[in-house]
Amino acid sequence: MALDIEAVQAALYARLTGSITGLKSTTRILIGYDALSSAQKPAMVVVSERAQAHNDNVHAQLWTLTAIVVFYVQVEQGVVPETALFGFIKQAETALGHQNNEPWLDAKAATSLGGLVRYARIRDHEIHHGAGTRLAAATLTIEMLALE
C-alpha cells in the first residue's frame, strides 16, 4: 500500500490546530508575515517540506517526511516576543507527544498521528525577529517516519 502523504500532512495539521490554543488564524498555505494583518496574529502555518524514501533492509520502504510549522506573533508593548513563541512551541511539543488512544509504534514517546506514521516529533526550531521589537516568528521542523 502506498504511503498517503496528504493524509499524514492533514493529520499533522489537524492535531496541531486541535491542540494549540491562542491562535487567531491557521493555514496550510505558505504565507509571509507581511500578508497577515494584526487581527490575524498570532498565526500558525503548516506546510510540507520534504519526503525522502529509503530502505533499511528490514522494512519494505521507509519514508522520512518533514513539515515546517511557522508561528507568527505581534505582541503588546513591553511583552517579549519569545515568551509568546515559546508558549506555542511548548503546546506543539505536547500535541506531538504520544496520545493515550494511539498505538505505540516507536519508542520515541511521540505521536503516531493515529497510526499513520511511526513517529512525528519536533526536530528543531529557530526564532526569527521581525522589523520591530514586537514582531517575531518561530519555525519548527517536524520530522515524521512512515512505512510504505
Side-chain angles (χ1 to χ4, degrees):
M1 182 170 144
L3 175 64
D4 186 348
I5 295 173
E6 170 55 25
V8 172
Q9 294 296 333
L12 174 64
Y13 181 75
R15 173 67 59 84
L16 293 173
T17 57
S19 302
I20 297 174
T21 61
L23 296 168
K24 292 184 179 174
S25 59
T26 64
T27 184
R28 286 186 61 199
I29 300 169
L30 183 61
I31 54 174
Y33 191 88
D34 295 341
L36 296 167
S37 70
S38 322
Q40 294 174 295
K41 298 173 200 143
M44 179 179 70
V45 176
V46 181
V47 292
S48 177
E49 181 187 44
R50 184 175 188 188
Q52 181 179 7
H54 47 93
N55 290 317
D56 70 352
N57 296 325
V58 176
H59 303 94
Q61 186 81 29
L62 285 173
W63 285 87
T64 301
L65 310 173
T66 55
I68 301 297
V69 175
V70 183
F71 293 111
Y72 294 116
V73 297
Q74 181 173 348
V75 296
E76 298 296 322
Q77 193 68 33
V79 176
V80 177
E82 288 90 344
T83 301
L85 292 171
F86 290 141
F88 289 126
I89 292 168
K90 180 67 176 165
Q91 288 186 70
E93 288 172 345
T94 300
L96 296 177
H98 182 264
Q99 308 296 305
N100 290 334
N101 62 342
E102 292 181 321
W104 282 96
L105 298 179
D106 196 85
K108 297 188 185 316
T111 183
S112 64
L113 295 175
L116 292 174
V117 297
R118 301 285 292 182
Y119 66 80
R121 63 181 178 173
I122 297 173
R123 184 174 68 199
D124 58 45
H125 74 263
E126 187 173 345
I127 304 296
H128 310 274
H129 298 277
T133 58
R134 298 174 34 220
L135 309 174
T139 55
L140 288 66
T141 304
I142 309 299
E143 179 182 81
M144 299 166 280
L145 183 68
L147 298 175
E148 183 170 36

